[in-house]
C-alpha cells in the first residue's frame, strides 16, 4: 500500500481529532441549527465510514453495533439521539474502527489499487479501489472542514493544522 495514502489518512484524522479535542460533552453533543452537523454526529459518521471501508477489505467480518449504525449511518441526521454514549466512548470507537480499517487497507499492494471497487453500489462513480480510497481521504477532509466551520459559527477558537506540528 502506498505509504503516502496511509500518511494522508493519518494526517486527516489527526486534524479531525484536533477539531473536537477541546470540546466539552455539552458542546460535542449540542443540537444544531440549519441541519449543520454537530461534532458527535460527524465523529460517529466517520466511525461508520471507517467500518464500511474496513468491512470491504478486512479478512475478518467487521460490523458496527446497531445503535451506532442507526445514529450515524445512511438516513441518520445530525440531531439523532445517541443514547448511552459519551464523548470518550465515541472517540474510542472512532479510533478502534480506524485501526481496523488502516490494517485492512495496509494489506493492499500497489497493483490492487487498480482493481475494481468491491462495492457495486459505488462502483459507477468510484470504479477502482484507488478511487474509493481517494474518496475516503476526501470524505474525512470534507467533514473536518465542516467541523472547522461549526467551530467558527459557535465562536470557538481556531484550531491549527495538525500536520504542521
Amino acid at each position: 500500500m502506498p505509504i503516502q495514502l496511509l500518511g494522508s489518512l493519518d494526517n486527516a484524522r489527526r486534524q479531525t481529532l484536533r477539531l473536537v479535542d477541546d470540546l466539552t460533552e455539552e458542546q460535542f453533543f449540542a443540537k444544531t441549527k440549519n441541519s449543520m452537523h454537530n461534532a458527535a454526529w460527524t465523529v460517529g459518521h466517520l466511525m461508520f465510514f471507517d467500518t464500511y471501508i474496513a468491512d470491504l477489505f478486512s479478512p475478518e467480518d467487521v460490523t458496527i453495533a446497531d445503535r451506532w449504525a442507526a445514529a450515524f449511518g445512511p438516513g441518520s441526521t445530525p440531531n439523532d439521539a445517541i443514547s448511552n454514549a459519551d464523548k470518550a466512548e465515541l472517540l474510542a470507537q472512532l479510533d478502534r474502527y480506524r485501526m481496523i480499517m488502516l490494517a485492512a487497507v495496509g494489506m493492499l499492494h500497489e497493483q490492487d489499487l487498480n482493481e475494481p471497487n468491491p462495492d457495486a453500489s459505488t462502483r459507477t462513480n468510484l470504479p477502482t479501489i484507488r478511487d474509493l480510497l481517494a474518496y475516503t481521504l476526501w470524505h474525512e477532509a470534507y467533514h473536518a472542514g465542516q467541523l472547522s466551520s461549526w467551530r467558527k459559527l459557535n465562536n470557538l477558537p481556531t484550531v491549527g493544522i495538525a500536520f504542521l506540528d
Side-chain angles (χ1 to χ4, degrees), residues 74-150:
S76 66
T77 63
N79 288 325
D80 282 345
I82 305 163
S83 60
N84 303 322
D86 61 29
K87 180 182 172 187
E89 179 186 15
L90 204 48
L91 290 173
Q93 292 298 315
L94 178 72
D95 184 58
R96 175 178 174 244
Y97 286 110
R98 175 48 66 107
M99 292 301 108
I100 295 168
M101 187 269 280
L102 289 177
V105 169
M107 292 187 298
L108 296 173
H109 300 286
E110 180 66 35
Q111 64 271 20
D112 297 329
L113 301 180
N114 295 319
E115 293 296 319
N117 173 350
D119 180 7
S121 70
T122 61
R123 196 174 300 135
T124 298
N125 294 319
L126 304 168
T128 67
I129 292 172
R130 183 184 312 278
D131 296 320
L132 178 63
L133 295 178
Y135 176 80
T136 301
L137 177 58
W138 175 88
H139 182 255
E140 180 93 25
Y142 174 80
H143 287 296
Q146 288 179 322
L147 281 170
S148 185
S149 294
W150 176 86

Side-chain angles (χ1 to χ4, degrees), residues 11-164:
N11 281 332
R13 179 53 53 88
R14 285 190 303 129
Q15 186 67 29
T16 298
L17 293 173
R18 182 176 272 201
L19 288 161
V20 300
D21 183 53
D22 65 338
L23 300 179
T24 65
E25 291 283 324
E26 183 179 356
Q27 290 168 325
F28 189 72
F29 288 100
K31 298 284 186 184
T32 61
K33 299 174 185 168
N34 302 324
S35 299
M36 183 171 235
H37 299 124
N38 65 11
W41 186 88
T42 301
V43 165
H45 177 70
L46 291 170
M47 173 186 63
F48 182 86
F49 194 82
D50 282 354
T51 305
Y52 157 73
I53 296 297
D55 194 46
L56 289 174
F57 298 108
S58 179
E60 301 173 25
D61 179 37
V62 180
T63 56
I64 191 166
D66 289 342
R67 74 180 178 132
W68 300 123
F72 307 118
S76 66
T77 63
N79 288 325
D80 282 345
I82 305 163
S83 60
N84 303 322
D86 61 29
K87 180 182 172 187
E89 179 186 15
L90 204 48
L91 290 173
Q93 292 298 315
L94 178 72
D95 184 58
R96 175 178 174 244
Y97 286 110
R98 175 48 66 107
M99 292 301 108
I100 295 168
M101 187 269 280
L102 289 177
V105 169
M107 292 187 298
L108 296 173
H109 300 286
E110 180 66 35
Q111 64 271 20
D112 297 329
L113 301 180
N114 295 319
E115 293 296 319
N117 173 350
D119 180 7
S121 70
T122 61
R123 196 174 300 135
T124 298
N125 294 319
L126 304 168
T128 67
I129 292 172
R130 183 184 312 278
D131 296 320
L132 178 63
L133 295 178
Y135 176 80
T136 301
L137 177 58
W138 175 88
H139 182 255
E140 180 93 25
Y142 174 80
H143 287 296
Q146 288 179 322
L147 281 170
S148 185
S149 294
W150 176 86
R151 288 181 67 89
K152 188 172 187 170
L153 287 171
N154 286 283
N155 299 312
L156 295 168
T158 301
V159 172
I161 299 170
F163 77 89
L164 294 178

